[in-house]
């Protein structure tokens, strides 16, 4: 029996014990990025938080017993516009953006397909792309039309919201509020202002696919249908956990629920809905117009991925985060202190219970990190930190990568150190000074040790 995990469920607005539908196969889905541009630091939050949940579930239920699907939205207005601007296909654009995204998140200590999947076994991590699931979208849309939950109008297929009596159960918004919001998008072909698009005609030059529901003209999917199709394909009609940022509760997740439940005639789509809080920057909402829009790539130029991960995990996932340089500096100090303790030891076999326990309480990362602070045994600390995706390297590997990151030419440094030693032995002070200046210019700090040896590190 796995120890009891409790999660706050947006669907019930309560923290409750997590009971998997099938404990031998726990299934979770998270809404992933729309790959039209570089990911920003806010996008990194769900990636890190739900990676932690994936790690915890693997720890509790066993690595072969958890499947995590995190989708990629690779068709939407912004993608289409950006690809048209550049004169490339959306696939070319999204392949490039997705590869860059992978490069960025790998630095954050996030488990990737190649880290967890085992050849010949059911995949443990999948990253489905919307445009690879058009057939599944057709099946759902046709099913919704056949069962009277969707209708065709002017080349669109629309979900008929009033056909679902408990529409709105996830976001719990009053109907009039939802209607007021939906009115922004009034369209003459909608029966109710709340009805939303499952499929729409493609404008000339836009990517298009054969349409469902007997529509002759080619078209393209709405956003919400993508996640119903991908979660069904990879996790089933009903699964355990569906996650995403808090901004997605309405309309995206509400509409996913409507589509999946009405198509498959189920009571729930996912049993537990988790939503991460938003990230703001130095006390302000992050936006392009305020000029405080930070890409993940920019942050990772200045800070190691582990520091970014720790800075993110210091705040409980449901709380808003204020992203500050100070928070990063504090995280960097903590990471340095821990590496000082763990050095090059291997992780202990057992993850300490004192670190697991707070995580069982709706991922209380702040308390888990406080527990890590109390650990002074290197192997135990390393095992505990490993569950949080931290301290994955050795102190030596860290030093080596600092050297590589600083672009230091190791052979040149060692030659200059040798020149300095020889000059000092010959009491040739001008030559010794030149060697010292050359080392400073290469960005390294030299230390003459008591035992007569000289060591060097990359200057901070
Ligand atoms: P998008 O690429 O905009 O669809 O967003 C991908 C994921 O990042 C979604 O789960 C969003 O909820 C999440 N997200 C976007 N902006 C932020 C933010 N500022 N803070 C936290 N999560 C965010
Ligand atoms: Zn989604």
């Amino acid at each position: 029996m796995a120890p009891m995990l409790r999660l706050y469920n947006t669907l019930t607005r309560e923290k409750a014990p997590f009971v998997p539908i099938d404990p031998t196969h726990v299934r979770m889905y998270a809404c992933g990025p729309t790959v039209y541009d570089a990911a920003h630091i806010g996008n990194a939050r769900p990636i890190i938080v739900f990676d932690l949940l994936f790690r915890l579930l693997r720890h509790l239920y066993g690595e072969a017993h958890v499947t995590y699907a995190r989708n990629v939205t690779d068709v939407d207005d912004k993608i289409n516009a950006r690809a048209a601007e550049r004169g490339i296909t959306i696939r070319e654009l999204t392949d490039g953006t997705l590869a860059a995204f992978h490069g960025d998140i790998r630095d954050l200590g996030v488990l990737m397909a190649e880290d967890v999947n085992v050849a010949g076994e059911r995949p443990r991590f999948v990253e489905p792309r919307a445009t690879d699931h058009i057939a599944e979208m057709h099946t759902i849309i046709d099913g919704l039309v056949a069962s009277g939950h969707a209708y065709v109008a002017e080349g669109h297929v629309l979900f008929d919201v009033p056909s679902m009596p408990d529409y709105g159960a996830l976001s719990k918004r009053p109907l009039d509020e939802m209607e007021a919001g939906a009115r922004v998008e009034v369209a003459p072909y909608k029966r109710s202002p709340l009805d939303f698009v499952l499929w729409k005609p493609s404008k000339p030059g836009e990517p298009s696919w054969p349409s469902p529901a007997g529509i002759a003209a080619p078209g393209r999917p709405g956003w919400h249908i993508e996640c119903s199709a991908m979660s069904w394909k990879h996790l089933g009609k009903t699964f355990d956990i569906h996650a995403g940022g808090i901004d997605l509760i309405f309309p995206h997740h509400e509409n996913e629920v409507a589509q999946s439940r009405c198509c498959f005639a189920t009571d729930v789509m996912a049993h537990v809905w988790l939503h991460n809080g938003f990230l703001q920057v130095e006390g302000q909402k992050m936006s392009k117009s305020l000029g405080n829009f930070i890409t993940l790539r920019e942050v990772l130029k200045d800070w190691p991925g582990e520091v970014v991960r720790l800075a993110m995990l210091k705040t409980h996932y449901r709380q808003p985060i204020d992203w500050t340089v100070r928070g990063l500096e504090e995280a960097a100090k903590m990471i340095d202190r821990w590496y000082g303790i763990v050095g090059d030891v291997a992780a202990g076999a057992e993850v300490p219970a004192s670190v697991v326990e707070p995580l069982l309480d709706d991922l209380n990362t702040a308390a888990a990190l406080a527990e890590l602070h109390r650990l002074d045994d290197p192997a135990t600390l390393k095992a505990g930190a490993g569950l949080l995706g931290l301290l994955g390297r050795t102190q030596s590997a860290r030093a080596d990568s600092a050297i590589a990151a600083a672009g230091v030419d190791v052979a040149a440094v060692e030659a200059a150190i040798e020149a300095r030693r020889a000059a000092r032995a010959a009491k040739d002070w001008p030559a010794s000074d030149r060697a010292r200046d050359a080392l400073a210019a290469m960005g390294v700090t030299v230390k003459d040790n008591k035992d007569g040896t000289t060591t060097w590190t990359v200057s901070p």
Side-chain angles (χ1 to χ4, degrees):
M1 254 297 275
M4 193 53 91
L5 167 65
R6 291 165 62 81
L7 294 171
Y8 180 86
N9 188 353
T10 306
L11 195 56
T12 57
R13 304 287 195 271
E14 270 175 1
K15 218 194 273 186
F18 172 66
V19 183
I21 299 165
D22 172 1
T24 69
H25 189 197
V26 180
R27 291 160 288 156
M28 68 180 270
Y29 185 91
C31 292
T34 304
V35 284
Y36 71 97
D37 207 347
H40 59 65
I41 184 66
N43 297 134
R45 191 170 193 197
I47 297 290
I48 293 171
V49 161
F50 302 124
D51 172 74
L52 173 68
L53 176 63
F54 181 40
R55 286 170 181 270
L56 180 64
L57 292 170
R58 283 161 59 85
H59 174 76
L60 298 174
Y61 293 92
E63 293 180 353
H65 303 291
V66 184
T67 303
Y68 177 20
R70 186 185 63 221
N71 80 284
V72 174
T73 295
D74 64 352
V75 53
D76 99 321
D77 287 343
K78 290 192 202 110
I79 292 174
N80 300 346
R82 187 69 53 98
E85 251 168 59
R86 297 204 189 147
I88 54 176
T89 63
I90 57 166
R91 193 75 190 200
E92 283 163 338
L93 174 76
T94 57
D95 276 350
T97 318
L98 183 58
F101 172 74
H102 283 159
D104 292 343
I105 64 169
R106 194 187 305 278
D107 274 356
L108 299 173
V110 170
L111 292 176
M112 310 282 275
E114 58 271 29
D115 302 320
V116 299
N117 289 347
V118 178
E121 283 184 25
R122 175 177 69 205
R124 298 167 185 187
F125 175 78
V126 283
E127 211 172 15
R129 293 175 69 144
T131 57
D132 293 334
H133 296 76
I134 301 289
E136 288 79 5
M137 296 180 207
H138 279 201
T139 306
I140 297 176
I141 293 171
D142 287 338
L144 289 170
V145 172
S147 59
H149 290 291
Y151 59 95
V152 176
E154 295 182 23
H156 296 69
V157 187
L158 291 140
F159 186 89
D160 184 340
V161 169
S163 77
M164 184 189 192
D166 58 347
Y167 179 82
L170 179 67
S171 57
K172 295 189 180 33
R173 290 199 171 190
L175 201 65
D176 53 351
E177 203 181 283
M178 291 196 282
E179 278 178 352
R183 258 188 222 109
V184 179
E185 257 194 90
V186 253
Y189 47 79
K190 284 189 187 179
R191 288 184 195 160
S192 150
L194 281 179
D195 294 352
F196 58 90
V197 166
L198 302 172
W199 191 266
K200 57 189 157 190
S202 295
K203 298 194 188 89
E206 279 182 350
S208 64
W209 291 266
S211 292
I215 299 170
R220 60 190 178 103
W223 172 32
H224 319 303
I225 194 71
E226 299 176 2
C227 287
S228 283
M230 289 184 269
S231 60
W232 169 44
K233 167 84 183 281
H234 298 279
L235 304 177
K237 293 175 180 170
T238 297
F239 49 95
D240 296 298
I241 297 172
H242 193 313
I246 193 161
D247 57 319
L248 300 184
I249 298 177
F250 186 84
H252 184 53
H253 289 167
E254 196 72 79
N255 291 350
E256 280 187 41
V257 170
Q259 295 160 162
S260 295
R261 282 188 47 207
C262 290
C263 176
F264 304 126
T266 53
D267 291 340
V268 284
M269 177 190 191
H271 281 207
V272 183
W273 288 78
L274 302 184
H275 292 99
N276 66 269
F278 247 48
L279 174 147
Q280 53 173 22
V281 173
E282 305 281 357
Q284 278 191 311
K285 185 180 162 106
M286 186 167 59
S287 81
K288 284 203 168 128
S289 55
L290 287 171
N292 62 351
F293 188 92
I294 318 175
T295 64
L296 179 54
R297 176 67 52 84
E298 280 162 348
V299 175
L300 290 170
K301 260 194 229 142
D302 295 335
W303 303 92
E306 268 184 303
V307 168
V308 174
R309 185 177 177 101
L310 176 58
M312 206 68 91
L313 293 179
K314 279 194 298 181
T315 305
H316 187 264
Y317 77 94
R318 283 194 283 120
Q319 300 300 317
I321 283 193
D322 190 22
W323 192 252
T324 61
V325 169
R326 209 171 135 223
L328 284 158
E329 285 167 352
E330 281 168 16
K333 265 192 219 142
M334 269 201 222
I335 292 279
D336 282 345
R337 185 175 96 78
W338 286 334
Y339 270 114
I341 298 173
V342 300
D344 289 354
V345 300
E350 286 290 318
V351 177
S354 63
V355 176
V356 180
E357 248 158 55
L359 296 178
L360 297 178
D361 180 18
D362 194 33
L363 304 180
N364 187 346
T365 46
L369 293 169
E371 285 302 325
L372 287 184
H373 263 299
R374 295 199 183 100
L375 299 174
D376 49 16
D377 173 61
T380 310
L381 172 57
K382 183 131 176 156
L387 181 61
L388 286 112
L390 296 168
L391 307 188
R393 295 179 296 168
T394 59
Q395 179 73 308
S396 312
R398 244 181 120 220
D400 288 348
S401 63
I403 291 165
V408 173
D409 179 342
V410 176
V413 170
E414 276 162 10
I417 287 177
E418 177 50 28
R420 176 170 166 270
R421 193 200 57 74
R424 291 175 133 208
K427 299 201 180 345
D428 179 353
W429 306 122
S432 165
D433 286 351
R434 278 197 302 278
R436 189 200 56 208
D437 292 347
L439 287 160
M442 285 186 268
V444 304
T445 306
V446 173
K447 191 166 157 240
D448 294 311
N449 302 309
K450 286 205 188 96
D451 62 3
T453 58
T454 300
T455 46
W456 62 277
T457 50
V458 176
S459 308

